[in-house]
Amino acid sequence: MDQAAFVPVFKFRTTDYPEPDRFHVWVKDMLCDYRLDDDGGHGPCDAEASGAALGPLILSGRHWHSRAPTYTVRRTPRRIRLDGQDSIRFTLLLGGRLASQTGGPELIKGAGDLFVYDVAQINDCKVEAGDVISLVVPRYLLPSHAAQAHGQTLTSGVGRLVADQMLSLFRNLPNLRMQDVPSIVQSMLLLLAAAVSPTAQALNDARGLIEHALVDRVRHYIDMHLLEPDLTPERICRDIGVSRARLYQLFKEEGGVMRQITRRRLRHAYHVLGDPQRRHQRIAEIAWAHGFPDEKYFHRLFKAEFGHTPKETLECAAAPILLPCGATDARWGDGGRLAGWTLPFGVLTN
């Protein structure tokens, strides 16, 4: 096998089928009995799915283009006996709502929740469909008591890191290579073990991965809220769920979390100043918008970070020719792509 090859990604669209058949083909291989609500208030079941096998793991996502339907799902003892499936599924809801009625009081899952579903156990729920990402893991790869988490939402800090990793992996599926799969599987299994069985040993085994994922989570949070004036370490600790001492340790080698915020704001300001379409903005206005009310202080920090002043960056952007055709100057490591840097910062849109 070519180890440099990309991981094959499958795609499925209901629009390839006649409209009356779309819901049926959408659910026919999902190992449960489905019943569509009869209110008729949904769209024509216009949806798509994509995913890939990552070694023994299966990562997939489902996205709705039309108004999603509401339906009931039942995994019955008969179904369990017939198909003999023996895996555990981790499902991250990006939208929609799920009301589980299995073995007790109704449990509600909403957008942002990551929950565990043991396919060898009974499942009875009502689904208001929305976009989801799922990771299916063979039972033998997880701690023996992982089945006890059936129906539970993983609300711990490690659970949130698992959700982040699933989302990141799914978004990057088209770029994954076969040679990366073994390390991806090993890392994900360590995180999953720590999430469903947060013993001292499991947490210790996954410590390095947890630290790395937590740093990524904080950085992503900073980028999403970068220009908000109340972005402080206290707010980050509260919303991420870490102590001030832990947050300090995570960014100790990089000068602390406030240094991270400052550097990311400076880089965002750099791209705003370098955008020819925003030449009308005054430097003082850009500085203020990025949390620097003192323009002289902004100039000093900016020059220390980039080696030139905000005014020089603005003048460079105003020049009729920035780079000769085909130039690959290392200063332009972002490829000169400016569109999409503002919402959110650091996420380039196509």
Side-chain angles (χ1 to χ4, degrees):
M1 180 183 293
D2 182 3
Q3 292 298 302
F6 289 101
V7 171
V9 178
F10 76 82
K11 295 182 181 294
F12 170 82
R13 297 186 304 268
T14 59
T15 51
D16 294 336
Y17 297 85
E19 188 172 312
D21 299 333
R22 291 178 185 176
F23 183 76
H24 171 72
V25 298
W26 180 249
V27 303
K28 73 180 182 68
D29 294 323
M30 294 190 184
L31 309 178
C32 296
D33 296 326
Y34 290 81
R35 189 182 68 192
L36 188 63
D37 278 9
D38 297 327
D39 61 8
H42 53 82
C45 195
D46 183 359
E48 64 181 43
S50 60
L54 303 176
L57 314 181
I58 298 176
L59 182 70
S60 64
R62 299 183 290 281
H63 172 65
W64 292 86
H65 295 287
S66 61
R67 181 182 173 186
T70 299
Y71 51 87
T72 57
V73 181
R74 289 189 174 90
R75 173 85 168 148
T76 63
R78 179 177 178 275
R79 279 272 191 173
I80 294 169
R81 289 195 305 271
L82 286 175
D83 58 48
Q85 293 294 317
D86 197 26
S87 58
I88 293 179
R89 188 176 72 205
F90 297 83
T91 299
L92 173 63
L93 290 183
L94 303 180
R97 184 174 177 271
L98 183 148
S100 176
Q101 301 168 355
T102 301
E106 185 175 76
L107 299 175
I108 304 297
K109 321 290 186 185
D113 285 345
L114 173 66
F115 62 94
V116 183
Y117 169 50
D118 181 354
V119 301
Q121 296 192 48
I122 294 170
N123 183 34
D124 186 357
C125 60
K126 184 171 184 176
V127 178
E128 297 173 12
D131 293 0
V132 300
I133 296 174
S134 294
L135 181 68
V136 178
V137 184
R139 185 184 307 277
Y140 70 88
L141 293 175
L142 293 169
S144 59
H145 52 277
Q148 296 176 14
H150 177 58
Q152 295 181 15
T153 301
L154 299 180
T155 58
S156 68
V158 180
R160 291 196 294 271
L161 296 180
V162 170
D164 288 345
Q165 293 294 89
M166 286 174 55
L167 184 59
S168 178
L169 265 180
F170 181 74
R171 287 175 172 171
N172 287 282
L173 272 184
N175 305 315
L176 296 184
R177 296 181 180 272
M178 295 300 297
Q179 64 190 20
D180 301 324
V181 170
S183 59
I184 290 171
V185 171
Q186 182 182 25
S187 300
M188 182 57 75
L189 289 177
L190 285 172
L191 278 178
L192 290 171
V196 300
S197 176
T199 62
Q201 183 61 49
L203 291 172
N204 185 64
D205 291 343
R207 185 174 302 280
L209 293 167
I210 291 172
E211 293 287 304
H212 179 74
L214 190 54
V215 168
D216 284 347
R217 183 176 179 84
V218 173
R219 285 176 175 157
H220 179 69
Y221 181 90
I222 291 171
D223 292 343
M224 291 296 292
H225 303 279
L226 189 66
L227 303 187
E228 297 173 14
D230 63 341
L231 181 60
T232 62
E234 290 75 18
R235 176 182 167 185
I236 294 171
C237 289
R238 183 188 71 238
D239 291 354
I240 296 295
V242 297
S243 68
R244 182 66 184 266
R246 182 83 185 280
L247 186 64
Y248 172 78
Q249 287 297 325
L250 288 173
F251 292 92
K252 182 179 179 180
E253 300 299 321
E254 301 175 37
V257 72
M258 282 307 302
R259 177 61 177 152
Q260 279 286 304
I261 293 172
T262 299
R263 294 192 69 182
R264 281 169 136 72
R265 284 175 169 170
L266 286 170
R267 187 153 185 80
H268 190 274
Y270 175 91
H271 284 279
V272 172
L273 287 164
D275 187 348
Q277 298 182 358
R278 303 173 109 172
R279 288 197 300 255
H280 63 282
Q281 289 187 268
R282 295 172 56 243
I283 293 175
E285 293 174 347
I286 294 172
W288 181 275
H290 288 77
F292 304 100
D294 185 330
E295 188 177 352
K296 291 183 179 178
Y297 179 61
F298 174 67
H299 275 251
R300 187 163 65 251
L301 289 178
F302 192 96
K303 187 170 183 179
E305 185 72 17
F306 302 111
H308 50 82
T309 66
K311 183 178 180 182
E312 289 169 337
T313 303
L314 200 60
E315 290 171 347
C316 182
I321 299 177
L322 293 178
L323 287 173
C325 182
T328 57
D329 191 324
R331 291 183 303 120
W332 304 93
D334 293 308
R337 298 175 296 174
L338 299 174
W341 270 96
T342 54
L343 295 173
F345 165 70
V347 178
L348 287 166
T349 57
N350 295 322

